Amino acid sequence: MPFTLHYESPPPDIAISADSNILREVLVIVLDNAFKAMVGHQGVVTIQSVVENGILFIDVLDKGSGIAPKLARLLFQAPIRNSKERGTGQGLLIAKRLIESWGGTIRVHTTNKNGTTIRIGLPVVGTVNEGSEGSVLVVDDEPMWLDVIRRQLQRAHFSVATASNAQDAHHMLINGHYDAAIVDLRLSSPFDLSDVSGLDLVRVAREVDPNMPVVLITAYAPPQSRRLLRAGVADVIMKEDPGLDLAEVVKHARARRTVDEESMR
């Protein structure tokens, strides 16, 4: 039987402490389970979102046959699947652990013979004033640093996109638009044990937008400054700097780039 996906109630410009790429994968897991529940039924799978008491709630509603209360209590504790399904059945377990790592929750909000609602709750950590300071792409394969940098920038009213590996960052640079980028100098490859230089992404950024300032961050001794200048790096910042304020670094880099542009006219 046919069924469709419907999205309503888009969230306002808020900041949450979650990796956007991983959150997308979590939603894919939840939606996959919702569509499986719809097999043999006709209807709509709906995504709704609302902010209540400092929490962003994302509801995924299906019109399947519902879940027995006993199974609903076990849904995020043990794999539940029928004999016709393949795979480990652990998708919702993984989703639960990821959401809880962000300080959030996921649970069966309602279930009856007319369907089930899975509710994800994520703490709101601030607001994002779109366009007030510009958009920044942050690339780092260490979740802790990705979170620290994102929080700093969002508090300074930057719109922030994140990537945890070079492949995703390359795709985002090609297909998106950013006013600046912050890139880790040494990135691990998602495909093998080798490292990828952040300078490779600097070159991509310069090809996409020659005027985009790119700031390198590193926990290691950076290459010679002459090499960095040739690559078009706007600044290099050590991660262990106790006074690290990347929002100010980005502002200064953009201001210098603006001065350089005007002097070339």
Side-chain angles (χ1 to χ4, degrees):
M1 302 292 289
F3 48 86
T4 58
L5 175 65
H6 178 65
Y7 180 69
E8 58 186 49
S9 306
D13 295 326
I14 58 173
I16 56 175
S17 181
D19 183 289
S20 58
N21 294 317
I22 298 177
L23 179 57
R24 183 170 61 244
E25 294 303 317
V26 167
L27 289 174
V28 167
I29 291 172
V30 176
L31 284 170
D32 180 61
N33 280 270
F35 283 126
K36 287 177 180 177
M38 291 288 291
V39 172
H41 298 266
Q42 183 174 357
V44 178
V45 174
T46 302
I47 301 178
Q48 296 177 333
S49 60
V50 64
V51 177
E52 296 177 354
N53 300 319
I55 304 294
L56 169 65
F57 291 109
I58 303 172
D59 292 339
V60 178
L61 305 81
D62 69 60
K63 295 297 183 181
S65 56
I67 304 173
K70 182 178 179 180
L71 291 180
R73 290 193 295 270
L74 299 174
L75 192 60
F76 302 102
Q77 300 177 26
I80 297 176
R81 53 196 175 94
N82 61 45
S83 59
K84 296 181 180 179
E85 292 179 358
R86 297 182 179 180
T88 63
Q90 295 186 1
L92 289 175
L93 286 172
I94 295 171
K96 180 175 184 289
R97 291 177 185 138
L98 289 169
I99 290 170
E100 289 179 346
S101 74
W102 301 322
T105 59
I106 181 171
R107 62 188 180 90
V108 178
H109 187 54
T110 58
T111 184
N112 52 51
K113 63 181 181 179
N114 296 318
T116 300
T117 299
I118 300 296
R119 166 162 282 194
I120 297 170
L122 295 167
V124 175
V125 298
T127 60
V128 178
N129 297 332
E130 185 177 359
S132 62
E133 288 294 346
S135 59
V136 182
L137 173 64
V138 180
V139 187
D140 200 310
D141 56 6
E142 295 183 59
M144 182 196 75
W145 279 109
L146 207 61
D147 186 57
V148 167
I149 297 168
R150 178 175 56 236
R151 286 172 180 264
Q152 279 194 7
L153 294 173
Q154 288 175 336
R155 282 196 297 267
H157 304 298
F158 283 96
S159 175
V160 182
T162 61
S164 56
N165 60 68
Q167 182 192 30
D168 288 349
H170 185 279
H171 177 79
M172 294 170 74
L173 283 168
I174 296 295
N175 294 282
H177 172 76
Y178 307 98
D179 297 300
I182 298 175
V183 179
D184 190 7
L185 178 60
R186 184 179 297 181
L187 296 164
S188 59
S189 170
F191 302 111
D192 53 47
L193 299 178
S194 62
D195 288 338
V196 178
S197 173
L199 290 175
D200 295 330
L201 290 178
V202 174
R203 284 188 282 270
V204 174
R206 298 288 288 169
E207 291 173 1
V208 172
D209 181 0
N211 296 318
M212 184 197 307
V214 181
V215 176
L216 283 180
I217 55 173
T218 180
Y220 307 94
Q224 295 180 349
S225 58
R226 188 175 301 173
R227 179 186 173 192
L228 296 177
L229 288 173
R230 286 200 303 267
V233 175
D235 208 341
V236 182
I237 304 297
M238 298 298 295
K239 286 184 176 181
E240 303 306 323
D241 182 353
L244 181 65
D245 186 344
L246 283 167
E248 287 301 315
V249 171
V250 171
K251 289 178 183 178
H252 291 158
R254 292 183 65 195
R256 287 199 303 271
R257 186 56 54 89
T258 300
V259 170
D260 291 342
E261 290 176 18
E262 291 179 350
S263 66
M264 295 293 289
R265 294 175 183 173

